[in-house]
Amino acid sequence: MTAQEVATAVPPEASDSFPADRRLEAYRTMVLARSLDDRCIALQRQGRIGFYAPHAGQEAALLGSAYALAPDDWVFPAYRELVVALVRGASLQSVVDQLFADSGDLTKGRQMPNHFAFRAQHFVSASSPIGTQIPQAVGAAMAARSRQAPIATIAYFGDGATSSNDFHAGMNFAGVFRAPTIFFCQNNGWAISLPRDRQTRSPTLAGKADAYGFPGVVVDGNDVGAVYTAVRRARRRAVAGEGPTLIEAQVYRFGPHSTSDDPRRYRADSEVESARLRDPVHRLKTELLSAHLLDEAGDAKIWEEARGTIQGAVTAAEAAAPVGPLSFFDDVYASLTPRLAEERAGAAAQVPAEARRP
Amino acid sequence: MTAQEVATAVPPEASDSFPADRRLEAYRTMVLARSLDDRCIALQRQGRIGFYAPHAGQEAALLGSAYALAPDDWVFPAYRELVVALVRGASLQSVVDQLFADSGDLTKGRQMPNHFAFRAQHFVSASSPIGTQIPQAVGAAMAARSRQAPIATIAYFGDGATSSNDFHAGMNFAGVFRAPTIFFCQNNGWAISLPRDRQTRSPTLAGKADAYGFPGVVVDGNDVGAVYTAVRRARRRAVAGEGPTLIEAQVYRFGPHSTSDDPRRYRADSEVESARLRDPVHRLKTELLSAHLLDEAGDAKIWEEARGTIQGAVTAAEAAAPVGPLSFFDDVYASLTPRLAEERAGAAAQVPAEARRP
Amino acid sequence: MTELTLVQAVNRALFDAMRSDPDVLLLGEDVGVNGGVFRATDGLLKEFGAERVIDTPLSETGIVGAAVGMALYGLKPVAEIQFLDFIYPAFDQIVSELAKMRYRSGGQFPCHVVVRAPYGGGIKGGLYHSQSTEAYFCHTAGLKVVVPSTPADAKGLLLSAIRDEDPVIFLEPKRLYRSATGEVPDGDPAVPLGRARVVREGTDVSLIAYGAMIPPTLEAAATLGTEGVSAEVLDLRTLVPLDEKSVVASVEKTGRAVAVHEAARFCGFGAEIAALLAEKAFYSLKAPIGRVTGYDTPFPYALEQLYLPDAPRIAAAARAAMTAG
Amino acid sequence: MTELTLVQAVNRALFDAMRSDPDVLLLGEDVGVNGGVFRATDGLLKEFGAERVIDTPLSETGIVGAAVGMALYGLKPVAEIQFLDFIYPAFDQIVSELAKMRYRSGGQFPCHVVVRAPYGGGIKGGLYHSQSTEAYFCHTAGLKVVVPSTPADAKGLLLSAIRDEDPVIFLEPKRLYRSATGEVPDGDPAVPLGRARVVREGTDVSLIAYGAMIPPTLEAAATLGTEGVSAEVLDLRTLVPLDEKSVVASVEKTGRAVAVHEAARFCGFGAEIAALLAEKAFYSLKAPIGRVTGYDTPFPYALEQLYLPDAPRIAAAARAAMTAG
Ligand SMILES: Cc1ncc(C[n+]2csc(CCOP(=O)(O)OP(=O)(O)O)c2C)c(N)n1
Ligand SMILES: Cc1ncc(C[n+]2csc(CCOP(=O)(O)OP(=O)(O)O)c2C)c(N)n1
Ligand SMILES: [Mg+2]
Ligand SMILES: [Mg+2]
């Protein structure tokens, strides 16, 4: 039985289909996500935030997977998953506060934009090193199982991350220990300037699961319903004790790798244009239009609302107080060590008076 | 086309078969190897050498692969490959000197026994960290190709090493760059106390090659001819620019992991006994007997000769001078740095007079 | 009180910690069925089962990565790295993830993992079974680093490490695993992190050491005593957070200091000791600060006894401090 | 002479090295088609082709592991790590293999690889695009460690590093990539490894720094000058092998020393400087040795300007040294 066949062997259930009554809500979230992306790139260009890593082109994969999870599941993100946090209940304001690194930022201004952490949503702290979240998701899954919690963990990562040490270690541990983990690879065609085909000669990324003895499936990442179904089934397998699944969601990164990147150096505009024909936002809109759940006027309103909501959050973030000037000494350890207390006192003496105001 | 099929698609050639006129020589070497193993374990038990990692059970895989290589090929060993060095022309004396870490040791007494390096034989310095030689073999292969040298590199490693970071990195680079590398995995069933089935859920280790887009083959590692053929074909593929091959030679480790190990803690004697029924030395002997290339009297003589040769090398090693007492400051860099020169001078003042004698 | 070897004391601490807290679990290579290559985990699989004593595949990245995930979820994993020399495949997980998780999440995700690893030379282990690279971890904010030198400390400090809220790198002097024996309290002899111990009081020179260097340092102190030099021996026990006060206080008293470790000298822990004293005990110093350390070479095999600091080298450095100036 | 930025000087050095020696080749992530995320390798693919300018998969283990193999075979690979913060997946290959290959083989297998990596803060990179962990490499026998601070040194030292016979970790101060400009000799301006440079002479206090800390250190020296304090500024340039003589000579002259780096303080390179001086310049010292460094926290994002040593902090430490005692 190949990996593909194993996955197909999980019997389908009605609950595997994306709930019809949430499609409009999903579209709203998708529009919010896309609008936020556009706005954040502009904010970065204007020097109002320091950095941004866009997710445009990956919204269906992000939303489809996020909707398929249960609240108690744990999410181990990379850096393009802010939509997942929103679906899980993180507020738009807290997301925007992280981008602005202001006093509303739950990560206390310590990380670059896009490196979120939302404890209440079981959305684990993101880091920059590629792939490190993968074995962590496996460990958390093993821990949950040992506590008899009927949950799954999900690790998000890109095509580039499949080359990382941590992918190999995490996948192998998951196979050996049959961890209830969903490996969700967003293959967006590029790892900065390296195209997928130069990343690995594996015919598909999903096929790499064979090497670890569990199923891998390819899914059209522009199809929110297809992604939802794939993740639901992987989740059922996981919770039923049948072990992990690797899902390769095939998407395309429309924008630059990040605001520091100039994609014209390594790919043709025409490639982007043809990928845009499969734009997941447009696709869901078309589906909703033909199902008469949406009309153009309603659509325009959704976009307008999204922009308004974002504007509100941005305005609030810009009005928010900065993080406290000595707050960067906190949380290194559970409590300040004597050495840090001394360093902090020294720094306090140096911090210019104006910065010390709250 | 699966990996298995790709490999099978390399057309067989007459030169792929183990040369009939070298079978007796191979047997002699195998007997030497087995005898050396027994002797070294005894030497360690007597406290005459510090450590030993036996290869008993793996001789056919080692010899079959070594004979299949060309002199200009480069070998990246783990720590059970001393037979490979012998086949490539390293002297038994230099092997034994390494085990004794005496002044004849080409590694200058710096490494534990079994960590050989033989420049003249393109037998690269072995280290203890598992798997690190694997991407190195790939880099050397890329370098050789860029110099138009028609050679292959071979990386030796165990079943346990397939879990290492370096296996993943090396295999992936080899696939992407179509490096002329042979990945030779000796699956001896165990990584210290961890059985193969707990190392990974991959049905075979050879199958892991699929994840990197090149062929993997399983071969009976007790059959010197079968191993020879598999390596010859992989080598032809490599030199022809068709890229790497992963070979899984299925063997069994008869002895302890090393002289520090007590295998009875984790495996039943009965498992060892049944594996011994497939003893590669016995198997080649039986083949030679039935081909009338050997009789029992001749066999006894081969064993006796082997023991004599080994005794000679051991005697010489025990008579050899120790390494110079300050030699451990050399070769950190191409030349002594000022700091090392100072440390060396300080140490010279401390070394007890008797140690300073050459 | 029971007389135990150091490795037995480690084993007892693991038994005690696992008995008293169901969230504690172990993972590593050969820790289960085999009981650990040094037998530190002997008997644990039998008592606690395979869900809590986990034999892992050969991947330190996986061991520490999974341990981090377990800790995030709320368990208290104790990861074993078979030899400190093999920790580097896990280095990224340790320095990028484990050390920084609490910080980068603004305190939302504490991540308490204990990473145990046998370290150091003296067992004829050559380059890769002898290393002592504690300085890498000490330089990494977010980690605590602990090195016991006696069976009682091994048990007490390991219990404290497991109960601490922060990630701890727990380095066990393998050379002392069987050679160091001593009385170990039976109950719950937690020894607090962050406190050095004066092993021997003295007034002329402070010998500052830890782990496997304590026995030769004590031997040197004894020799010095016969020469009329009163050497104080400090066992740091915890390298991070360092008990700076005790170190400074000792040197304020003696005026002379020698730092001892088996790691290479350049940028080793002894440099931090010297820097600390050159800043905070400067006016008490009567002599240059000595360092007796491994040399700046990889760890050799045949000549390890010349590489490793021993009592004569330590005593010589103390004498140099006494006669300096 | 040409006026270049520091990153352009790196680029020129790579061009020159590759033109003059066909064995030199580059590998790393995004170094080819993209020309490097900082454009350090811009134009090289076009001139030298894909066999010599190799875009690799996302694996630092693979990059350094393959580079080691290439070097063993006889080539001279220059491996780029995109940010020093991402070097840890290659840590095992660097410390276990690259650093020890020549040694462990008894000199049979020299292994000359240059690993280039942009390091340091000041670009709002947060925890993972700002690190300065040179101490890890300095503590690893077998590696050389080089940090330029000017365009001319960047070119000259990189050429020397590529021509050296030993493995070199070459750390480029990314904060100065574009902000530091200067005249760079055109021909072959090799700057020898192992020699510090007196950037500014002085008699009262020695400020010992390297890399991106040179500009704020010079600024502090200028301020001190206006206050009548004559500060000498030493740019170490090579951390291993360290030019101990120049460091000691400077402090023998001034009697006061402040070590400056942006890495965390505890067990940072400044500790080695202090230890060196506390041993070899002890009798010249008139004041406690100061260290102005990053704090012992991970590198923060919003508040990086408070984390990073700046001219006021450096000047304050120098003043403290002047008034001590
Ligand atoms: C270990 C490591 N090496 C290099 C980098 C620099 N880097 C950041 S993102 C990236 C590409 C990631 O590609 P992929 O995994 O496909 O994710 P995507 O950005 O396409 O979502 C690289 C090389 C890093 N962050 N971590
Ligand atoms: C990175 C690393 N981790 C752990 C070890 C300890 N160790 C030495 S050999 C070994 C098992 C290796 O198994 P395998 O690759 O199957 O080779 P075999 O010994 O069976 O030939 C282990 C875990 C090591 N040497 N390196
Ligand atoms: Mg990608
Ligand atoms: Mg094995």
Side-chain angles (χ1 to χ4, degrees), chain B residues 79-80 128 130 158-161 188 190-191 257, chain C residues 29 60 82 86:
Chain B
Y79 41 80
R80 300 195 200 276
S128 309
I130 293 294
D159 45 305
N188 64 6
W190 294 91
H257 170 75
Chain C
E29 294 157 13
E60 289 76 13
Q82 204 161 84
F86 305 136

Side-chain angles (χ1 to χ4, degrees), chain A residues 50 101 109-113 127-130 160 163-165 191-194 198-199 262 265-266 323-325 327-329 332 339-340 343 347 350-352, chain D residues 30 33-35 37 39 42 55-59 61 82 86 89 124-129 265-266 295-303 306-307 312-313 316:
Chain A
R110 303 235 174 87
Q111 290 232 62
M112 287 173 77
S127 70
S128 309
I130 294 294
S163 295
S164 71
N165 296 340
I192 310 186
S193 72
L194 197 75
R198 291 291 307 274
Q199 190 64 246
D262 174 8
R265 291 181 68 96
Y266 54 81
V323 290
S327 62
F328 72 89
F329 285 102
V332 182
R339 160 129 303 280
L340 279 169
E343 291 183 6
Q350 310 256 349
V351 172
Chain D
D30 307 295
V33 179
N34 199 33
V37 297
R39 309 291 172 252
D42 202 18
D55 271 324
T56 69
L58 206 169
S59 168
T61 303
Q82 204 161 81
F86 304 137
K124 277 277 204 152
L127 286 84
Y128 301 108
H129 294 80
R265 173 191 179 94
F266 200 78
Y295 297 107
D296 288 308
T297 75
F299 199 101
Y301 170 73
L303 299 168
L306 296 179
Y307 180 90
R313 267 169 72 192

Side-chain angles (χ1 to χ4, degrees), chain A residues 70-327:
Chain A
D72 282 348
D73 292 344
W74 278 55
V75 174
F76 289 77
Y79 40 80
R80 300 195 199 276
E81 285 77 26
L82 66 80
V83 196
V84 176
L86 292 176
V87 170
R88 294 182 69 76
S91 70
L92 178 67
Q93 188 63 54
S94 66
V95 164
V96 172
D97 283 334
Q98 200 280 334
L99 302 175
F100 278 87
D102 62 40
S103 54
D105 172 8
L106 291 171
T107 66
K108 302 189 186 169
R110 303 235 174 87
Q111 290 232 62
M112 287 173 77
N114 291 79
H115 294 68
F116 303 99
F118 297 106
R119 174 95 210 176
Q121 283 75 34
H122 300 149
F123 186 98
V124 173
S125 171
S127 70
S128 309
I130 294 294
T132 47
Q133 72 279 19
I134 301 173
Q136 295 171 7
V138 177
M142 292 168 73
R145 182 180 50 200
S146 85
R147 285 216 183 144
Q148 265 103 45
I151 66 145
T153 66
I154 184 168
Y156 285 88
F157 54 92
D159 45 306
T162 63
S163 295
S164 71
N165 296 340
D166 297 86
F167 171 81
H168 186 55
M171 292 282 286
N172 195 42
F173 270 51
V176 166
F177 297 113
R178 298 199 197 285
T181 299
I182 303 161
F183 296 94
F184 193 79
C185 177
Q186 294 185 75
N187 171 5
N188 63 6
W190 294 90
I192 310 186
S193 72
L194 197 75
R196 151 65 184 92
D197 293 345
R198 291 291 307 274
Q199 190 64 246
T200 174
R201 298 268 185 205
S202 182
T204 64
L205 300 179
K208 285 180 182 277
D210 280 329
Y212 309 100
F214 60 85
V217 287
V218 173
V219 64
D220 176 355
N222 295 315
D223 180 345
V224 70
V227 173
Y228 180 88
T229 301
V231 176
R232 289 298 289 187
R233 296 175 73 188
R235 189 180 182 283
R236 271 196 294 120
R237 264 182 55 83
V239 174
E242 291 164 41
T245 306
L246 169 62
I247 297 171
E248 173 186 356
Q250 296 184 334
V251 294
Y252 191 87
R253 158 162 68 72
F254 293 165
H257 170 74
S258 75
T259 48
S260 314
D261 179 46
D262 174 8
R264 295 197 175 184
R265 291 181 68 96
Y266 54 81
R267 69 183 188 188
D269 286 349
S270 58
E271 182 181 309
V272 184
E273 288 322 310
S274 73
R276 279 191 188 276
L277 299 178
R278 297 184 299 278
D279 186 329
V281 182
H282 188 73
R283 177 171 175 158
L284 185 55
K285 174 181 164 183
T286 311
E287 282 176 28
L288 292 171
L289 289 177
S290 42
H292 302 292
L293 292 167
L294 183 72
D295 58 22
E296 289 291 353
D299 183 44
K301 209 167 140 233
I302 288 176
W303 285 92
E304 204 188 300
E305 273 172 18
R307 279 189 289 264
T309 310
I310 292 164
Q311 183 54 47
V314 168
T315 305
E318 294 197 309
V323 290
L326 295 173
S327 62

Side-chain angles (χ1 to χ4, degrees), chain B residues 109 165 193 199 265 343 350, chain C residues 30 42 58 61 127 296 302 313:
Chain B
N165 296 340
S193 72
Q199 191 64 246
R265 291 181 69 95
E343 291 182 6
Q350 309 256 349
Chain C
D30 307 296
D42 202 18
L58 207 169
T61 304
L127 286 86
D296 288 308
R313 268 169 72 192

Side-chain angles (χ1 to χ4, degrees), chain D residues 108-267:
Chain D
Q108 294 180 85
F109 287 99
C111 185
H112 169 48
V113 173
V114 175
V115 180
R116 292 179 43 243
Y119 87 94
I123 60 150
K124 277 277 204 152
L127 286 84
Y128 301 108
H129 294 80
S130 309
Q131 290 174 33
S132 180
T133 52
E134 60 276 8
Y136 295 156
F137 304 98
C138 294
H139 185 49
T140 306
L143 300 177
K144 292 181 174 172
V145 181
V146 176
V147 194
S149 74
T150 66
D153 274 3
K155 183 171 177 191
L157 290 167
L158 183 51
L159 282 172
S160 293
I162 294 173
R163 289 169 191 159
D164 203 82
E165 293 176 73
D166 294 309
V168 180
I169 307 294
F170 193 86
L171 301 177
E172 300 169 5
K174 66 172 105 70
R175 185 188 192 178
L176 302 183
Y177 262 161
R178 293 192 169 75
S179 67
T181 52
E183 293 293 320
V184 177
D186 290 319
D188 187 334
V191 173
L193 304 188
R195 300 237 193 99
R197 186 169 63 99
V198 177
V199 189
R200 176 188 170 120
E201 294 206 34
T203 50
D204 295 333
V205 57
S206 301
L207 308 180
I208 300 155
Y210 49 92
M213 288 295 102
I214 295 299
T217 303
L218 283 171
E219 194 188 326
T223 307
L224 291 164
T226 66
E227 300 167 12
V229 174
S230 166
E232 175 145 308
V233 176
L234 224 69
D235 179 354
L236 295 177
R237 304 203 289 193
T238 300
L239 304 187
V240 180
L242 176 64
D243 185 354
E244 297 190 5
K245 264 196 194 146
S246 299
V247 176
V248 170
S250 175
V251 177
E252 278 173 350
K253 177 172 69 175
T254 62
R256 297 178 184 85
V258 176
V260 183
H261 56 68
E262 56 185 288
R265 173 191 179 94
F266 200 78
C267 286

